[in-house]
Amino acid sequence: MADPKGFLTTGREVARTRPVGERVKDWNEVYVPGSLLPIIGKQAGRCMDCGIPFCHNGCPLGNLIPEWNDYAYREDWSAASERLHATNNFPEFTGRLCPAPCESACVLGINQPAVTIKNVEVSIIDKAWGNGDVTPQPPERLSGKTVAVIGSGPAGLAAAQQLTRAGHTVAVYERADRIGGLLRYGIPEFKMEKSHINRRIEQMRAEGTKFRTETEIGKDIDAAKLRRRYDAVVVAAGATVSRDLPVPGRELNGVHFAMEYLPLANKVQEGDLTVSPITAEGKHVVVIGGGDTGADCVGTAHRQGALSVTQLEIMPRPGEDRNANQPWPTFPMLYKVTSAHEEGGERVYSVSTTHFEGDENGDVQALHLVEVEFKDGKPEQKPGTERSIPAQLVTLAMGFTGTDQANGLVQQFGLALDERGNVARDADFATNVDGVFVAGDAGRGQSLIVWAIAEGRSAARGVDRYLTGASALPAPIRPTDRALTV
Ligand SMILES: Cc1cc2nc3c(=O)[nH]c(=O)nc-3n(C[C@H](O)[C@H](O)[C@H](O)COP(=O)(O)OP(=O)(O)OC[C@H]3O[C@@H](n4cnc5c(N)ncnc54)[C@H](O)[C@@H]3O)c2cc1C
Ligand code: SF4
């Protein structure tokens, strides 16, 4: 145990963010660089090394949190990194982006602020990279088997790294021009700088994983042909079809899916564009959808110089404390103030958009909404509450409905879908097609990075068993796991 009295003597502290006025003028990560290191040892020392560490269950990867807290407290960064990588291929992604369900399950959190687990995680991995402890781990021998991974988001990357290290020859196919999936083109630079992805790709290349960008399976290469070319295939194509809002005026200029808006802002940061063709500069912006994607639109709009930013959510405003039906150690729905919300804008709850209004050029100018209340789980409009707000840019961030079928991927393989429109799989992450497996949002539906990595690791074990008859690879989850949490 790190410090037997740590939780009594030390209060919770988290990473400091840069002043709002400074950070909205750039796209760098919002945190004060290096601010964690002076505090993190003591924060790790608050861990009680519980007999039953509920945080293990809270984390879909089963991260060995008390073990690495102990090493971080003792400043044995190399051992901490080894324990961290035992369960997580990419802690620099989760340490920056995970909503930390582990902290909701932390035993200390029953009557005190939880251990700042996510910040310890990111400190360990940043230190490990800085110390040169993250090195390629190529396999000792090759199996002679080949695997194609379709999609280079966190699920595909985790599956590819596990299978490469197990000795298989792995190629990752990605339709976009760069590797990373939503990490690259969904999540903005101010939440995670893309240099973190680039560094991992270099490690993976050095281990032997091959990457083929701008290659869409189903369109550029027939899926059935790909199956014949490889001994096994992992479909990690995400759930990239955005949910639409079919109300009058949807066709107006300036009404876009969030995933039309955010990738262009990321392309500016990559240096591909000087200005985004869809910009919030000088506009009243309305973001429809109150989740992570919506918050990313809010932060992006601030940085582009929006006149105002309003975020709409159909659900009521969540409470600030757990309610009775979300007790510890579950992951509660709480009112969250993300870094983007700290930067300004207004959040409006319990409202539904009725229509958009445009000018003579077909450009959106206003959004009409009405207040709603939920009865028997369904939103009902409240008469007399209609109003309009100015809107010259509207982004739709209302979630995703499933994996993309337009390119023929699903049909060419002959993949069966489940009742929610995701690719169906068995306990080994195998689909109905021999030798074809599925991992990440494509199988689970829209989820989180931590789940995508856990899925990629678990599917890799299924593939390894399929190819060799046995596997020493770990499988942190089963396809049906929803855990205690998210
Ligand atoms: C804007 C936004 C912000 C988010 N923020 C967070 C956050 O802060 N924290 C968090 O935990 N989660 C967040 N999420 C969710 C998280 O990003 C996803 O759950 C996760 O990326 C899913 O990983 P994946 O590998 O399954 O799929 P994806 O990351 O979607 O990757 C799938 C990849 O497959 C490629 N592909 C698809 N079809 C083909 C094909 N036929 N051929 C070749 N390639 C193909 C796609 O181009 C894509 O690159 C966010 C999501 C969005 C949209
Ligand atoms: S990956 Fe997420 S849930 Fe797991 S330890 Fe890290 S922050 Fe917690």
Side-chain angles (χ1 to χ4, degrees):
M1 179 174 180
D3 175 2
K5 290 196 177 155
F7 67 97
L8 296 172
T9 55
T10 306
R12 176 180 159 106
E13 275 185 73
V14 294
R16 277 194 293 124
T17 47
R18 295 186 287 131
V20 168
E22 173 192 316
R23 69 189 199 229
V24 292
K25 295 199 189 95
D26 64 45
W27 293 81
N28 301 337
E29 285 180 10
V30 297
Y31 299 104
V32 179
S35 71
L36 271 175
L37 277 178
I39 61 161
I40 211 66
K42 284 198 125 194
Q43 290 302 309
R46 294 181 71 234
C47 177
M48 302 188 295
D49 192 15
C50 307
I52 299 175
F54 279 78
C55 52
H56 281 196
N57 284 54
C59 173
L61 285 162
N63 272 351
L64 305 167
I65 296 160
E67 293 184 37
W68 40 258
N69 273 333
D70 186 43
Y71 286 123
Y73 176 73
R74 293 169 207 287
E75 299 192 20
D76 187 345
W77 298 108
S78 166
S81 166
E82 186 278 320
R83 290 284 74 199
L84 190 50
H85 282 104
T87 55
N88 188 354
N89 297 66
F90 313 121
E92 63 274 36
F93 305 161
T94 46
R96 287 180 168 77
L97 299 166
C98 188
C102 54
E103 293 184 11
S104 303
C106 170
V107 176
L108 189 58
I110 295 173
N111 64 356
Q112 281 194 47
V115 174
T116 170
I117 298 169
K118 173 176 160 173
N119 282 181
V120 177
E121 182 175 21
V122 82
S123 304
I124 294 169
I125 183 58
D126 285 355
K127 197 80 183 159
W129 278 109
N131 289 347
D133 283 339
V134 187
T135 52
Q137 295 173 35
E140 281 174 10
R141 59 182 70 85
L142 293 177
S143 67
K145 303 284 184 190
T146 57
V147 183
V149 174
I150 304 172
S152 68
L157 292 179
Q161 187 166 60
Q162 293 294 94
L163 288 165
T164 302
R165 288 177 176 179
H168 308 305
T169 301
V170 180
V172 177
Y173 289 86
E174 170 56 57
R175 67 182 172 189
D177 57 350
R178 288 188 178 84
I179 297 299
L182 289 173
L183 296 169
R184 173 77 65 182
Y185 283 134
I187 287 157
E189 190 83 0
F190 57 82
K191 264 172 61 179
M192 186 179 78
E193 290 168 14
K194 306 308 170 199
S195 53
H196 300 295
I197 311 175
N198 300 342
R199 204 156 54 169
R200 271 295 167 189
I201 304 306
E202 283 319 304
Q203 183 202 32
M204 291 181 67
R205 281 208 169 97
E207 290 170 352
T209 307
K210 308 270 184 286
F211 293 96
R212 313 260 183 268
T213 51
E214 296 183 276
T215 311
E216 185 161 4
I217 307 303
K219 200 166 127 212
D220 301 318
I221 299 179
D222 182 89
K225 264 195 202 146
L226 186 86
R227 172 68 194 95
R228 287 197 291 277
R229 213 192 281 172
Y230 287 86
D231 294 311
V233 174
V234 180
V235 176
T240 54
V241 181
S242 302
R243 181 168 289 116
D244 209 344
L245 183 63
V247 297
R250 166 65 182 89
E251 72 291 349
L252 290 167
N253 304 322
V255 182
H256 296 280
F257 286 123
M259 281 306 292
E260 291 167 348
Y261 174 60
L262 294 171
L264 289 170
N266 275 316
K267 279 189 161 286
V268 174
Q269 296 315 307
E270 295 280 4
D272 298 348
L273 300 168
T274 39
V275 181
S276 172
I278 308 176
T279 177
E281 189 178 0
K283 294 178 184 160
H284 294 290
V285 178
V286 181
V287 177
I288 305 181
D292 274 340
T293 307
D296 290 351
C297 293
V298 170
T300 300
H302 288 318
R303 281 163 182 73
Q304 289 177 335
L307 282 181
S308 72
V309 185
T310 309
Q311 189 178 14
L312 308 182
E313 170 58 51
I314 195 166
M315 301 299 290
R317 184 187 191 275
E320 286 176 31
D321 297 311
R322 285 180 188 275
N323 62 29
N325 62 7
Q326 295 179 324
W328 178 89
T330 60
F331 185 69
M333 282 293 296
L334 296 180
Y335 179 72
K336 268 202 313 193
V337 182
T338 68
S339 69
H341 297 122
E342 284 170 4
E343 292 160 6
E346 190 191 355
R347 283 193 272 179
V348 184
Y349 290 90
S350 303
V351 289
S352 173
T353 303
T354 56
H355 61 283
F356 302 108
E357 187 185 319
D359 62 14
E360 61 285 359
N361 300 319
D363 297 333
V364 68
Q365 294 298 333
L367 176 150
H368 291 252
L369 55 81
V370 61
E371 290 176 21
V372 295
E373 62 187 336
F374 277 80
K375 288 193 182 144
D376 298 327
K378 288 200 181 122
E380 280 189 15
Q381 298 190 355
K382 286 163 71 177
T385 61
E386 299 83 0
R387 65 180 194 273
S388 73
I389 51 176
Q392 283 105 37
L393 172 65
V394 177
T395 65
L396 308 178
M398 301 175 305
F400 298 85
T401 57
T403 205
D404 190 356
Q405 295 187 45
N407 53 29
L409 173 85
V410 168
Q411 297 80 356
Q412 289 169 15
F413 274 130
L415 294 173
L417 303 179
D418 66 17
E419 65 287 353
R420 291 161 59 233
N422 303 314
V423 180
R425 64 268 182 92
D426 70 9
D428 269 341
F429 292 80
T431 68
N432 60 312
V433 181
D434 181 50
V436 179
F437 293 73
V438 63
D441 283 7
R444 173 168 289 270
Q446 183 201 6
S447 186
L448 293 172
I449 290 154
V450 63
W451 278 108
I453 299 172
E455 289 242 344
R457 289 172 69 83
S458 305
R461 180 187 166 86
V463 174
D464 194 30
R465 266 162 48 112
Y466 172 81
L467 293 175
T468 65
S471 180
L473 293 176
I477 57 164
R478 287 160 302 165
T480 47
D481 279 352
R482 300 277 149 192
L484 292 165
T485 52
V486 275

